[in-house]
Amino acid sequence: MSERGLRGALAITSALALVACGSDSGGGGEAAAGGNGEAWQPNRPITYIIPYGTGGSTDPIGRQFASQLSEELGVEVIVENREGAAATIGTTGIVTAQPDCYTLGLSNHQALANQAALNPDLPFQTTEDYTPLVKLGDIPVVLAVNADTPWQTLDEFIAAAEADPNGIGYATSGAGGTPDTNAKLLEIRTGVELNRVPFSGGGGEALTAAVSGEIESIGTFYPSMQGFVESGDLRPLGVFYDEEYPLLPDLPLIGEEYEGVSMPAAYYTIAPTDLDEECRDTLVEVSERIVTSEEFRQFAEENGYVVDPIQLDDLAQEIDDYRPVFAEIEESDA
Amino acid sequence: MNPVEGLLYGLELVFTAELLVAAFVGAAAGTAIGVLPGLGPVAGAALILPLTFTLPPAAGLIMIAGVYAGSMYGGSTTSVLMNMPGESASVVTAIDGYEMTRQGRAGPALSIMAVGSFIAGTIAIVLVTLVSPLVARFALLFGPAEYLALTGGGLLVLARVAGGSPASGYFPMVLGIMIGTVGVEQITGVFRFTFGFQELALGFSLVPVAVGLYGLAEILMIVEDPDRAAKVRSVRLRELMPSREDWRRAWAPWARGSALGFFFGLLPGPSATLSSFSSYRLEKAVSKHRDELGTGAVEGVAGPEAANNGAAVGSLVPLLSLGLPFSATFALMLAAMVVQGIQPGPLLIEQRPDIFWSLIASMYVANVMLLVLNLPLVGVWVSLLRIPKSMLMPGILVIAVLGAFSTRSSMLDVWVLVVMGAVGYLLRKLDFAMASLIVGLVLGPFIEKHFREGMFLSRGDLGYFLDSPIAIAIWALALVVMFGGGLWRLVRRRLIGAEAEKVKLEVED
């Protein structure tokens, strides 16, 4: 009895392992529709590297792109999460892959412009070291205060911060993260001084502190604070961005009022440099089609992104434009 | 919709063939994942997450709930059978669970665990149903000062969880805290104590440390003294099931553990670990059979196992009512919801009662599935122990090494496993409590983090940490638990009189 039971258990276990392994196979099969006269037609699965963990806040937009890429090209696209070291591990994986168009992935302005400058050993020092295929979108940081604080507008908040240097607390998800960086920019440009408190346990703890009134203000992405804005616990005062943010069209743009105080988290799809010309053109064309599609736009907007479909030289220019800003932040001791 | 109607509504939504299959697959996969050392609840949920993207929202979430409950149970199974805890919440189960196995009572231990998990799930569900509107914002009462009190006070109290002399508890605790400081410092990103090894930047991960300390050290002990190894008398059904006496003794710890776990689940931090250790500590303080704890007492298995399941259900409250995931597994669950277009938050109960209640119900169904799946498997697990030692021990060693390596694909973790095996063997020989080392390793980084957050928040004012009634109460409670027993004895001496005391002191000397 026991031996048979054991065998059964083994069989069940291995069957389950198979189920788990096959988990990504959802997107592949049905997509023979793609490749409408493309010059390059992949004949095996493509790997899409995401330099963040499964289930992180960035994972979904990468997966959305990967699943549409699979539909467009008619082959399976396997998402590989390679997290760690501020996205540099995954980005290194993309940049150093074979330039055969079968490996591409997601990266961001922080890894490509800032980490590259901080660590000369990284293999992506300039935009020549990879192919900047397409920009997926920006997600700006929103500044909000606890609803019990007296400040109703951005100007009142800034005035209060000027009057009380280092007196107003500003919760962030961690030192050096995008919400922290935007506050540093604000400090550099306006001369105010906030008491920036890095909560290291993901965004949740910073949010708890701001909602409970433990800390006066917070900078974070809108989707995570939206519930508390709707329930009246938090009051958004401004967006660290310099164009209209469709989710909050009435809020003042901090990047407009204070020159350059606008650094959204920006996500890109990149590929190794020196791709074969044939497949490179196909990827450029297909990725533009994805990012401008209704499906992608709708997904992005629901998740708080602003779609901005720039490619290649324009995208390289954007990455290069971020470099002096990061250098300025690194040099200041705000 | 009142809570009772809500729960019934949720159960109605969940009782479809599709969702029951999802719960079953989740629980089965979770158990398999949990049994392998190295893959715990987080890794399990991360593996299954991409699969849930392709399922309807309810099925995906129920599957993750199943994986979570299943891997917690699976992790404890190896604790009991081989003294090899798969994750930190299972460490404390190893103390009495493995002793039971050595006495030939692995079957009853595993059954008590399975039934206890189910009962804790039930009690916690009832608590969620009755009090979730009241405690929805409970977590907001806690800031860095309160968390420091909870983790710091918890550390002091739990370091002596296994009893023994103060030194035997505090020495391994300090060792654990020291190991916990290795790696990238959380706030500024400075590399600490890495001695130039790039791999050490990630710090010591818990799995190789726990498996080394317990599993490897145990193998060394058995090599030294083959009679130590677990005996299996038979796997007849009657001996697989707990005796009437076992059942009777398990009820109170189940109830206490469930309530304790539920409370810890409402708060962020390592709630499953804190709750299982606290439950063991509580049993040591209040149980009628407290003197037997550590020698294979049913209470030492029933309480902690109920507590970590209670915590799992309790954690749903802040997740759903605040949208705040308080553990890595729940962060994955949140991700699964967001992908499905559900954004949890303070208005979720009102706006999407179907999601709220079906999730609560799904956690429950996952618990039922676990029971259905695991009670029949008890005999299979126990019969593993009948494999001759000369084959079983090398087999366990191979699995332990694979498990350590597979967590992060790092050879360093294998060396950590080996070194920790030696450390564990030494500590055991010297009669130190190893559970304290795990407590230090798990809580140390949290204590540092909350302390630093508090210092940032108060701009360097230490008074901040005692400026909150909740924090003061927690510290006071910790001090009472630590010193209360000693003080009580002192007072009693005065009452009994100095004469009698002198005689007693001489005897003790």
Side-chain angles (χ1 to χ4, degrees), chain A residues 212 214, chain B residues 137-143 146 468 470:
Chain A
S212 69
E214 182 96 34
Chain B
R137 298 178 82 86
F138 185 68
L140 293 182
L141 295 174
F142 278 64
E146 291 80 6
S468 131
I470 298 179

Side-chain angles (χ1 to χ4, degrees), chain A residues 166-167 195 205 214 228 233, chain B residues 137 322 449 456 459 464:
Chain A
N166 207 21
N195 179 30
E205 285 178 38
E214 182 96 34
F228 294 104
D233 290 297
Chain B
R137 298 178 82 86
L322 298 173
K449 168 181 137 71
F456 270 108
R459 298 164 201 91
Y464 165 80

Side-chain angles (χ1 to χ4, degrees), chain A residues 6 13 16 23 54-55 63 166-167 175 195 197-201 204-205 208 211-212 214-215 223 227-228 230-231 233, chain B residues 28-29 32 46 49-51 53 137 140 143 186-187 322 324 332 335 338 343 346-347 380 383-384 449 453 456-457 459 464:
Chain A
L6 196 67
T13 315
L16 284 166
S23 60
T54 322
R63 282 180 186 274
N166 207 21
N195 179 30
V197 180
F199 286 85
S200 41
E205 285 178 38
T208 315
V211 170
S212 69
E214 182 96 34
I215 193 163
F228 294 104
E230 283 166 7
S231 67
D233 290 297
Chain B
L49 184 68
L51 176 62
F53 292 154
R137 298 178 82 86
L140 293 182
Q186 294 177 56
I187 290 175
L322 298 173
L324 301 174
L332 291 171
V338 171
Q343 182 70 52
L347 303 178
V380 178
S383 57
L384 277 181
K449 168 181 137 71
E453 284 169 3
F456 270 108
L457 208 56
R459 298 164 201 91
Y464 165 80

Side-chain angles (χ1 to χ4, degrees), chain B residues 228-244:
Chain B
R228 263 190 77 81
K231 295 166 193 65
V232 182
R233 289 198 209 100
S234 73
V235 284
R236 268 184 309 170
L237 192 62
R238 183 143 35 100
E239 286 177 30
L240 289 178
M241 293 306 286
S243 66
R244 193 176 300 231

